[in-house]
Amino acid sequence: MPARIYKNPMNAMQSGQALTKKWVLDFAPSEARKADPLTGWAGSGDTQRQVKLTFATAEAAQVYADKYGIAFAMIPTPNKTLKLQAYADNFH
């Protein structure tokens, strides 16, 4: 089952750097979710979807995946671009 390794992104409501320095290894879904006929809740028999491993570095995640024979795709972290502007720029 293929996995992906990526750096934990910042939440849209987050301005700090908490929990963004860790690398995450999670598995791609192996089957689609479907609605349960009795309750209507979406679910599947895919238990790997619940597994999310965190690592301090990308190299540690790669070593773990290689050790256990997990095929993975490394998703690079996009560069951050800051748009600096002043409040006075709103009135031009």
Side-chain angles (χ1 to χ4, degrees), residues 27-61:
F27 295 93
S30 63
E31 65 181 53
R33 299 177 97 174
K34 55 187 176 285
D36 184 277
L38 182 61
T39 63
W41 292 9
S44 71
D46 182 17
T47 57
Q48 290 284 14
R49 183 178 278 189
Q50 301 171 8
V51 177
K52 185 180 271 194
L53 304 172
T54 57
F55 299 91
T57 63
E59 292 78 23

